[in-house]
Amino acid sequence: MKNLLKYAVTRVFLTIPMLFILLSLVFVILRVMPGDPVAAMLGGHAPPEVIAAKREELGLNKPMIVQYGEYLAQLARFDLGDSMIFDQKVGTPIAEKLPATLELTITGMAFTLLIGVPLGAYAASRRRTGRDFGIRLYGNVAYCIPVYWMGLMLQLVFGVWLGWLPIAGRTSPRVFASLFEKTGFYVIDTLLAGNFAALGDVLLHLFLPSLTLGIVLSGIFVRLTRANMLDVLKSDYVLAARARGIPENKVVYRHALKNAFIPILTMMGLQFAILLAGAILTESTFSWPGMGRLLLERIRLRDYPTIQGVIVVFALFVSLVSLLVDLIYALIDPRVKY
Amino acid sequence: MRKSLAIFLVLTLVVGIAFFGCKKKEPEMTTLVYATTESITNMDTSNAYDFHTWELFQNINVALLTYAPGTTDLIPGLAESYTANDTADEYTFKLRPGLKFSDGTPFTAEAVKWSIDRVIALEGDPSWLVVSFVDSVEVIDDLTVKFNLTGPVGFFPSLVASVPYQPLNPAIYPEDRWINDPEELEGGVLTGMGPYKLTSFKRDEELILDANPNYYGEKPKIDRIVIRYFADATTMRLALEKGEVDLVYKTLNPSDIEDLAGMDEFKYYKMPGPYIRYLCFETSEGLFSDKRLRQAVAALIDRQDIIDKVFLGQNEPLYSMVPNGMIYHTDEFKTELGDGNVELAEKLLAEAGYTAANPLEFELWYPPQHYGDTEVDMVEVMRVQFEKTPAVKVELKPAEWATYIANLDTKQMKVFTLGWYPDYIDPDNYTAAFASSDGSPGMGIYFSDPEWDALFVQEQTSVDPAEREMVFEKMQKLWADEVPTAPIFQGNLHLFTKPNVGGVKIGPPLIFNYDQLFFE
């Protein structure tokens, strides 16, 4: 346990240089990229002296190295800075939008596991049958499908043709989030408010976008689970369990799957970054007001500090999830030592 | 046992979600949900200069004069009357008595002066609409205000109806900067004197307007308007089909418009709009300082081909910068240059030294998203049209909007597309901004001609319709000769509603009055 703690602390400290490199790259790329944030802010008709005054106000007339130094000094104080476009701290829109993305991402991951893992396990138990082939085909197709197209198809089928599910937003237009919003996680907020009508509405709205993400990523987990299960099913203890007369379902899903799950856990950490990237496209398709849409909007407006802030937050979450996965891995597999 | 319990819990959860999720929350007030892919820029009339934000202000504020819904008729707004002197360079407005902003601040002539002075001082994007015409504003008494203009302006009442001229509440707006969000205002609430007031705003997500109890006019028939912002036009279309929204306006894809128009379950409003698209040339230096080349490229444009292929026939070809249906419009480009006129283009190109062996090569710049998803298709069709003659070679160059408008200052873009929504309903707004020595640089065109400047001054200062007609006819002839810009098409407006929604009235000024809407 002491070693584990030491490992965790080391990983946390290693995150700092990673963030530094990432932020430096983003800082430079944004500033050498064509497009002037002041022009984007003021439009095409502002007089030159107004544009010059705005550039000075925002510090954009300073040499890039000076701007970089000031930004690093700000970050050292844990200050993400101020938006260049709106009169607000960078943290404000991030705090507003992050819960929406996390809610979508977590639910998306849940669907990924609920679909991918059982299907992969089943395919392994029915190796070289038509069902195995069908599931593997599903895995390949799901992995290749663009998330945008998947979202539109699910909207069309379940939203429009069948009329079962809503297709956009986090709530119905006639359900007002201002009545229950506290944390920004609407599932939690509606429960805290005891507003079960709103809870149902929120869950219905969450279903399709999460399912979209879940289906697209489940392809990887189908293949990974199947491959791991095939190895585990050859093990001696599985043979022994079968020999003792334990039902095949229990052998596969209780004994074998538990051991095959460890590499899947590692993959979850790696896929989290892809899930966040997929959330950006999914948010556009479902008009989900999360970090993805915030990032796209602020790129359009050339709001450098907010773009940098969003990327920092994304990077931090990916690092955190990756660390958590590694720690859980060590906890559940006694063979793993750091 | 464990398995049975698990199944029971899952079933309970599913049934619970289905029950509570499907149970409709009974509205306490009539609510209309309006879907759009547009977005709000900043919440300040002194800097907002986009279609949708102006539409919002036209419903939460009122100008001194306003348009009767669906028409170009100016009617009293916050001013019950006005007079102009003989030379049309002084306009005096008599304000309605007893009006207050929704926070109780009295509305007086002082608020009008304060608002105009603020627009001038802050120099925001639309400030030129004030600065170019207004010299000063005088308070005569609490209910009388006088505008002293820089010179005679016959169409000044049209200007006064535009958003930058709307009086703001001096008690809540900061004098020295513009605001982007209502939270920046004193009290954190945006107050106006229009039929609706802003209740809630979540950027890029939702905006809620409630009927303003302090509005001096007739109370709106719909208590609450919820504007839902969609990132994707197709999703917005599906939301209408699913019944999640009551009204969809700007901007559907042409294929979605065609499909929805063919469905009986929706009301479809197709309205001629004064929105135009055109090709611009950087005329001051380089290749396109030669007008023969501008004429040649303009002659190659086949407008109907673009409209049919890209917009499925949903727009109208345009042969003048003055839109179809506007006073003094003529079709000079049709007469002088035609459509897809390869023969004329090759003749002009040859005169300038360009042939198949030595083709004219240029970049056609465009913003891939600013005008919607159709832009990419439009410029591709144009490229094919231009290259119908081997004497032309075109490279398409996309630039995202922030880069695009920065490029206007650097003269990097020699040929580029732009679009225009009117600020006020007059041909001057479609001409002077592009070809006057003052306005043209701001559009990246850099056209300057003393004869043209004299014509602009003449039409701006004249109050004689016959004289203005003569000037604009001459100007449009000159335009087809010099071609600082080449008009392409005029956009129609497409709006869809559920069958029980009535009262949609959007006239040439493009003002969408929410207070006219009702449920049948």
Side-chain angles (χ1 to χ4, degrees), chain A residues 85 165-166 174 285 293 302, chain B residues 31 204 235 242 244 400 403:
Chain A
I85 307 297
L165 294 164
R174 292 171 173 84
T285 308
R293 280 185 70 190
R302 297 289 192 274
Chain B
T31 303
D204 299 326
T235 306
K242 195 177 157 27
E244 289 181 1
E400 187 263 322
T403 307

Side-chain angles (χ1 to χ4, degrees), chain A residues 34 39 42-43 45 50 85-87 148 155 159 165-167 171 174 176 181 196 285 287 289 293 302, chain B residues 20 31 33 123 125 178 180 184 202-205 224 228 230-232 235 238-239 242 244 246 400 403 405:
Chain A
L42 299 179
H45 294 90
V50 172
I85 307 297
F86 302 104
D87 184 21
Y148 176 87
Q155 283 175 325
L165 294 164
I167 63 166
T171 63
R174 292 171 173 84
F176 301 109
E181 187 171 1
F196 296 106
T285 308
S287 293
R293 280 185 70 190
R302 297 289 192 274
Chain B
F20 287 111
T31 303
V33 182
E123 294 183 286
D125 207 6
W178 57 71
N180 290 302
E184 298 172 53
K202 279 173 159 278
R203 186 171 288 281
D204 299 326
E205 198 175 328
R224 172 168 282 179
R228 272 283 170 108
F230 282 74
D232 181 69
T235 306
L238 294 176
K242 195 177 157 27
E244 289 181 1
D246 301 302
E400 187 263 322
T403 307
I405 52 177

Side-chain angles (χ1 to χ4, degrees), chain B residues 362-384:
Chain B
F362 64 90
E363 294 170 341
L364 173 57
W365 288 80
Y366 67 99
Q369 287 165 340
H370 187 73
Y371 296 109
D373 297 337
T374 50
E375 193 73 359
V376 177
D377 296 331
M378 185 179 88
V379 293
E380 181 56 40
V381 170
M382 290 177 79
R383 185 189 65 76
V384 169

Side-chain angles (χ1 to χ4, degrees), chain B residues 163-174:
Chain B
V163 163
Y165 285 81
Q166 288 176 346
L168 300 179
N169 186 348
I172 65 162
Y173 274 88

Side-chain angles (χ1 to χ4, degrees), chain A residues 27-244:
Chain A
F27 186 94
V28 170
I29 289 170
L30 282 175
R31 279 154 184 79
V32 301
M33 186 168 82
D36 179 17
V38 175
M41 196 189 314
L42 299 179
H45 294 90
E49 57 273 17
V50 172
I51 293 174
K54 199 69 184 171
R55 290 185 67 81
E56 192 175 333
E57 183 191 325
L58 295 172
L60 293 173
N61 57 337
K62 296 178 187 171
M64 201 191 305
I65 193 75
V66 172
Q67 294 182 46
Y68 181 58
E70 286 176 356
Y71 183 62
L72 288 180
Q74 208 170 44
L75 278 183
R77 296 191 300 270
F78 298 104
D79 180 5
L80 291 174
D82 298 321
S83 166
M84 261 183 201
I85 307 297
F86 302 104
D87 184 21
Q88 59 182 190
K89 301 296 282 180
V90 165
T92 303
I94 290 175
E96 279 173 15
K97 306 292 184 188
L98 184 60
T101 297
L102 287 179
E103 203 170 60
L104 177 62
T105 311
I106 292 167
T107 330
M109 181 58 86
F111 272 115
T112 298
L113 296 173
L114 278 171
I115 297 169
V117 172
L119 279 179
Y122 185 73
S125 69
R126 299 288 185 272
R127 191 180 180 205
R128 293 196 183 131
T129 63
R131 280 172 256 189
D132 176 29
F133 175 75
I135 291 170
R136 278 191 291 145
L137 184 63
Y138 162 80
N140 287 337
V141 169
Y143 185 60
C144 297
I145 287 178
V147 68
Y148 176 87
W149 186 87
M150 174 61 73
L152 277 177
M153 290 303 106
L154 289 176
Q155 283 175 325
L156 193 59
V157 172
F158 293 102
V160 180
W161 290 348
L162 296 172
W164 290 352
L165 294 164
I167 63 166
R170 295 183 78 187
T171 63
S172 299
R174 292 171 173 84
V175 171
F176 301 109
S178 54
L179 296 176
F180 56 76
E181 187 171 1
K182 279 193 173 51
T183 65
F185 294 92
Y186 283 5
V187 174
I188 296 172
D189 290 342
T190 48
L191 280 169
L192 289 174
N195 190 337
F196 296 106
L199 172 65
D201 187 69
V202 162
L203 288 172
L204 284 175
H205 278 81
L206 189 54
F207 190 86
L208 273 186
S210 316
L211 183 65
T212 302
L213 276 176
I215 288 175
V216 170
L217 242 67
S218 65
I220 301 171
F221 284 84
V222 162
R223 294 177 63 84
L224 182 66
T225 308
R226 180 182 177 278
N228 287 322
M229 283 291 289
L230 287 175
D231 276 342
V232 169
L233 285 172
K234 287 182 213 160
S235 309
D236 291 341
Y237 71 90
V238 169
L239 184 61
R242 282 183 176 134
R244 286 203 299 277

